[in-house]
Amino acid sequence: MVVILYNFMSFDRFSYFRPLALFCLSIFLGGTLPAQAPLTVDRFATVDMGDEIELEWRMGSAARALQSGLSGVAETIYRSLLEKSAQISPSELATLKIGLAKALIGQGRFVAARAQLDSIQEEFQNGQYLVYLALSIYGEGDGRIDSEAFLVALKKASSADLKAEDLPWLAMLQGLAAEFDGQTEIATAAYQRALELTDQPMLRSHFEGLIMRQKLLASSADEALVAELRVKIDQLEGQAAAYPFVREYAVGLYGLGRIDEATSAIEGELDNTSAGYSPDEREQLRLLKGIILGANSETGRNSLKTLVLNGQNRETLGIALQLLARVPNQDADLLSFLNVVLSRTEPHLLKGQIYYLRCQLAMKIAQQVSLEERVGLMAIAESDARTLLDQFPGLSQITNVYRLLAYAALERQPAQYRAAADFLIQLRDQSRENQDLAEVNRLIGDCYFLNRDFANAVDFYSAADSLEVGSPRDGELFLRLISAQVRAGLIEQASQLIDQADSRGSISQSDRWRAEWNVAQALQASGELDLALQRLRLLLRDDSPSTVPASLDIRLRWLESYLSLQAEELDGLANRVTLLLARLDTMPPQQEGADDALTPSEARLLKTEILLLQGSVYMREGDANAGMDVLTQLRDEYGETTAALRSYLIEAAYHGLIGDFVSAQATMTKLAEIYPQDPLAPQALFEAALYCERRGAEFYPQAVVLHNDLATQYATDPLFYYARLKQGNLLRSMNNFAGAQIVYENLINGFPAHEMRYIAELSRADCMLALAGNDFGDLADVAVILERLLDLPNLPLDFQAEAAQKWAFALIKSGSNEKAKEVLWLSADRFIGDGEKAVALGAAGRYWLARSMLQLGEIFEKQGNLAEARKVYRQVIAYNLPGRHIAISRVDQILELE
């Protein structure tokens, strides 16, 4: 039995990415000689579309985490993506670094953010880079801001290449710059513009805290003015009119570096119960005290916590809460504090925002703790998110809550894609703009795609795509839709969509080529090689100027050559492959910063795959020496690549094709010895055993040993079960029924739920039948086992026919002829009486059915019931079952007797 493992592939440009936890790497099929098919067919090492979606999901998740305030989560995702930086294009690398810098800034880690930004290549230092560079310079100053560097970065920044979420920050920074120049009115207008540009209360509170901090930093240190303010405060003691002078006095002392005096002055006024300050003014003073002390200090945090616990002014509370939320390395402490706030019986004015912040914090901390702790924190986050939906539906961040719940569903083990899709569907119901609807539909489609529900993925991708008709299509969305369609079996629709988009000019040439790659692979998988080749050749014969990247062009030409090999269209094939290899060898190295150029890793991958194809073509043409020369070169120069490993499959298949099973076996054994840790190693041993078996019965013992080696060395490999089955089969062929029975019983007991258990059960029964001889008791036991075996659910029809015949045989040998007759009749009636089942029977099933019916006819004849026997034989003839000539002969004999 040969098991062929097949994974359909799609083309994508992120050929480096292996997801963290969700998906195994799937790779293209490549060519094998038409001999005994290896267990893993020759496959092209590239990434599945699911991996691209997973990658983009992580990139998008990081961006959405930032928008939702989950800076720590965003940092974790960005850093995991940057671990693959050697294979990421320069522009994507810059985007990821800017994203990481934003995440670090969100946590108050300005120095680390500046380091990320400083590592970005000059050509990618766009407006977004400059805005966050200026912000990191401002943040890392902490009272000693490098104003020159700050102003230089900000002056170069332009709003033209900024996203909507960046514009409030630009306005805020422009206000801070105006403060440096003493332009108070301009600064005030810029601050107001920043506040108007954001619709997020938490960000607005953060801006207001920044403004207050800047006023402190910009305060003039004038001893005379401070003394004058002190006199004024004393004159107005106990009066509400003293409030503005107290504020200015504390700010002035801060400017002189006399922080203790500043906080003492504020505390004195707060302790003065006779002062006529309003509650709002008192809370403003408490907030000022916290800002002067600094949220980075324990005393400053305690002051802000007291204000959050006892304050009554929403604006002041919001600023204090955001100051606490932006302190680095205090997440656990803040989470504990929020637990205290939410545990109080009296409702807090910012209860919704506090639930939202705790949800964010729990998710953030969950990224940094053990799996056991993570489960508890994610449960808190999900509970808080659901509370927000139930109790605070009007919260301005409510749409982000759906995103948080979707993210939480994806973070479960295993990921709950359907649950994430359900939350995103609720988010879609609240979206109004086409752009938002398109994005959410795409995300929902991604969830279904990753859940392998391709039909639903097609529906949502199509909904997203329909919102873009009339404008240039989103290439990545278009590729997703095509990939989902072909995986859902809608190859014709995918082909039509490509043709329509191409005729309208709504997709780029590169996207069309990538889409054709997917369709060609799907057509190949469905056996439509001719159509796949037709589409590819039409594409490659297009003489119009090409904007297709060289790597994609070479890949498509490789695929056309590979499919030509599969279709046995060898005319000129060796020459095309040689020219393709020469073209690759003469290509210049990648230019720094060029996204579309061939990276060294891409060039290496293509070189090895083309060499492998070239060796296969030579061997298919019968030039074994030239083929082996190429395969040897591949192994010598690129021995660590998967192509080199798979070259052994090509060589073994060739040896098998010409009947040299000794060399085929040796080649597979050598593969397992050289690459013992590779997933192909157990499969190579399996193939070696199959080749050994084909050498003849005298080599069966050696084949048994090879199967045993596989089972011993790779006990957790899926092939373990099949190796043991083959081992048992070979022992039976060697008449060692007792040994074979032990093998089968070990499989039955060790793998009670295995999908192939019924094979082991029937094989054990065969052994028991052989060992029972004429012992009626043992034969009765075999009959019971076979009867129970037929009660198993979802048995293949062919297997049912075989098991029924053997059950009847055991009954006949044990002397239970009447019971055997009943079993045989029921089996015949099950298939002959049901036309659909009769048609569905395979060759093996028809063979066993014929044996059952001929045996049933014999029983009728022995009992003298010639009419019934004749009916049974005529059914064998009517259904053209194997043994038809025997049935005809017996009918003739019966007619003579009658």
Side-chain angles (χ1 to χ4, degrees), residues 661-736:
F661 303 125
V662 175
S663 297
Q665 175 188 338
T667 302
M668 287 289 91
T669 305
K670 185 177 181 181
L671 189 158
E673 291 172 351
I674 298 175
Y675 303 96
Q677 303 304 318
D678 191 272
L680 270 182
Q683 299 173 29
L685 282 175
F686 194 93
E687 281 294 303
L690 294 181
Y691 283 125
C692 182
E693 181 182 347
R694 296 181 69 182
R695 292 170 62 188
E698 65 269 30
F699 294 100
Y700 285 0
Q702 187 178 342
V704 169
V705 171
L706 286 169
H707 283 302
N708 191 66
D709 288 344
L710 189 163
T712 303
Q713 298 172 35
Y714 305 99
T716 60
D717 192 271
L719 279 177
F720 172 92
Y721 200 93
Y722 301 99
R724 287 299 193 203
L725 280 178
K726 285 294 297 180
Q727 193 175 22
N729 294 345
L730 287 166
L731 289 171
R732 279 198 293 158
S733 298
M734 296 160 59
N735 293 322
N736 185 354

Side-chain angles (χ1 to χ4, degrees), residues 843-857:
R846 289 170 58 81
Y847 165 79
W848 290 109
L849 176 60
R851 286 193 59 171
S852 292
M853 296 184 73
L854 291 172
Q855 200 162 38
L856 178 61

Side-chain angles (χ1 to χ4, degrees), residues 561-581:
S561 297
Y562 162 69
L563 294 182
S564 297
L565 179 64
Q566 300 305 299
E568 297 287 337
E569 296 181 10
L570 303 180
D571 188 28
L573 180 57
N575 185 55
R576 295 205 303 277
V577 175
T578 300
L579 290 174
L580 194 59
L581 190 60

Side-chain angles (χ1 to χ4, degrees), residues 139-352:
E140 72 180 349
D142 195 23
R144 297 173 299 278
I145 296 170
D146 184 350
S147 58
E148 182 178 353
F150 170 80
L151 293 172
V152 167
L154 186 59
K155 186 177 180 180
K156 294 179 181 178
S158 168
S159 61
D161 51 355
L162 295 181
K163 297 179 180 179
E165 65 262 25
D166 302 321
L167 295 176
W169 286 105
L170 177 61
M172 174 58 61
L173 292 170
Q174 288 169 340
L176 297 173
E179 289 273 15
F180 284 137
D181 291 339
Q183 299 173 310
T184 306
E185 291 184 4
I186 295 176
T188 302
Y191 293 149
Q192 184 60 35
R193 189 165 63 254
L195 295 173
E196 291 172 353
L197 283 170
T198 179
D199 57 357
Q200 300 180 36
M202 297 174 75
L203 183 57
R204 187 178 296 113
S205 296
H206 179 54
F207 282 169
E208 289 170 343
L210 282 177
I211 294 169
M212 293 184 69
R213 176 180 181 268
Q214 179 55 31
K215 290 187 180 297
L216 277 178
L217 294 176
S219 61
S220 58
D222 189 325
E223 290 281 4
L225 177 60
V226 167
E228 183 180 337
L229 288 169
R230 180 70 260 179
V231 171
K232 193 67 176 176
I233 293 169
D234 292 339
Q235 292 173 349
L236 296 171
E237 184 177 359
Q239 300 180 41
Y243 169 73
F245 300 104
V246 172
R247 281 179 55 92
E248 291 300 319
Y249 179 62
V251 169
L253 288 172
Y254 176 86
L256 293 171
R258 294 152 60 181
I259 294 175
D260 290 342
E261 291 182 55
T263 56
S264 295
I266 293 174
E267 289 169 357
E269 293 301 315
L270 291 173
D271 292 340
N272 185 356
T273 56
S274 64
Y277 303 139
S278 68
D280 286 352
E281 289 172 338
R282 287 184 173 277
E283 290 183 17
Q284 284 288 324
L285 289 176
R286 290 191 178 95
L287 178 60
L288 179 61
K289 175 187 172 184
I291 292 175
I292 288 174
L293 290 169
N296 288 326
S297 70
E298 185 175 356
T299 54
R301 289 194 297 277
N302 288 337
S303 178
L304 293 170
K305 287 177 182 178
T306 301
L307 176 56
V308 170
L309 278 171
N310 304 314
Q312 294 299 316
N313 182 284
R314 296 181 66 89
E315 182 178 327
T316 305
L317 292 177
I319 295 173
L321 187 63
Q322 282 305 301
L323 288 171
L324 288 170
R326 303 279 173 165
V327 180
N329 305 317
Q330 292 295 321
D331 295 334
D333 178 69
L334 180 57
L335 183 62
S336 298
F337 172 67
L338 296 180
N339 291 337
V340 171
V341 176
L342 291 172
S343 67
R344 300 177 75 179
T345 54
E346 63 275 15
H348 196 281
L349 285 173
L350 300 181
K351 189 175 183 180

Side-chain angles (χ1 to χ4, degrees), residues 769 779 782-783 786-787 790 801-825 827 851-853 855-856 859:
L769 267 176
L779 288 168
V782 177
L786 288 167
E787 180 180 8
L790 278 169
E802 180 180 358
Q805 196 281 329
K806 291 180 176 178
W807 178 18
F809 177 77
L811 289 169
I812 291 171
K813 288 198 68 177
S814 65
S816 302
N817 288 340
E818 285 303 312
K819 179 65 175 177
K821 184 170 69 172
E822 178 186 350
V823 170
L824 291 170
W825 170 249
S827 175
R851 286 193 59 171
S852 292
M853 296 184 73
Q855 200 162 38
L856 178 61
I859 293 175

Side-chain angles (χ1 to χ4, degrees), residues 474-716:
D474 178 342
E476 298 301 334
L477 173 59
F478 181 75
L479 288 174
R480 276 169 163 72
L481 176 54
I482 294 298
S483 183
Q485 284 179 324
V486 297
R487 286 168 179 263
L490 306 175
I491 305 174
E492 185 176 352
Q493 290 91 322
S495 301
Q496 291 174 354
L497 183 61
I498 294 171
D499 294 340
Q500 291 168 3
D502 183 55
S503 65
R504 294 171 183 166
S506 60
I507 56 171
S508 69
Q509 190 178 22
S510 292
D511 287 336
R512 189 210 164 176
W513 280 48
R514 292 187 177 100
E516 289 288 3
W517 175 280
N518 287 310
V519 169
Q521 290 288 320
L523 289 170
Q524 176 205 7
S526 62
E528 298 184 76
L529 271 179
D530 290 342
L531 185 54
L533 280 167
Q534 178 185 343
R535 292 190 67 91
L536 281 174
R537 287 167 180 167
L538 283 173
L539 194 70
L540 296 173
R541 281 202 296 264
D542 186 354
D543 294 330
S544 59
S546 176
T547 58
V548 175
S551 60
L552 178 55
D553 182 87
I554 292 176
R555 283 173 185 265
L556 265 291
R557 295 183 188 279
W558 172 90
L559 181 58
E560 186 276 333
S561 297
Y562 162 69
L563 294 182
S564 297
L565 179 64
Q566 300 305 299
E568 297 287 337
E569 296 181 10
L570 303 180
D571 188 28
L573 180 57
N575 185 55
R576 295 205 303 277
V577 175
T578 300
L579 290 174
L580 194 59
L581 190 60
R583 177 186 170 193
L584 182 66
D585 287 339
T586 57
M587 287 186 65
Q590 180 189 41
Q591 298 297 312
E592 186 174 349
D595 285 348
D596 291 336
L598 221 59
T599 65
S601 60
E602 282 181 312
R604 185 180 183 82
L605 172 63
L606 289 170
K607 178 69 175 287
T608 58
E609 295 299 332
I610 296 172
L611 281 172
L612 185 63
L613 179 59
Q614 186 179 49
S616 302
V617 172
Y618 284 146
M619 286 191 158
R620 183 74 63 88
E621 291 180 337
D623 192 347
N625 291 333
M628 279 308 303
D629 287 344
V630 174
L631 298 184
T632 301
Q633 176 191 352
L634 174 61
R635 295 168 191 172
D636 290 345
E637 297 179 8
Y638 306 98
E640 76 287 0
T641 65
T642 59
L645 183 151
R646 296 184 342 264
S647 71
Y648 290 93
L649 303 180
I650 300 297
E651 180 185 352
Y654 172 75
H655 292 314
L657 179 65
I658 62 174
D660 185 359
F661 303 125
V662 175
S663 297
Q665 175 188 338
T667 302
M668 287 289 91
T669 305
K670 185 177 181 181
L671 189 158
E673 291 172 351
I674 298 175
Y675 303 96
Q677 303 304 318
D678 191 272
L680 270 182
Q683 299 173 29
L685 282 175
F686 194 93
E687 281 294 303
L690 294 181
Y691 283 125
C692 182
E693 181 182 347
R694 296 181 69 182
R695 292 170 62 188
E698 65 269 30
F699 294 100
Y700 285 0
Q702 187 178 342
V704 169
V705 171
L706 286 169
H707 283 302
N708 191 66
D709 288 344
L710 189 163
T712 303
Q713 298 172 35
Y714 305 99
T716 60

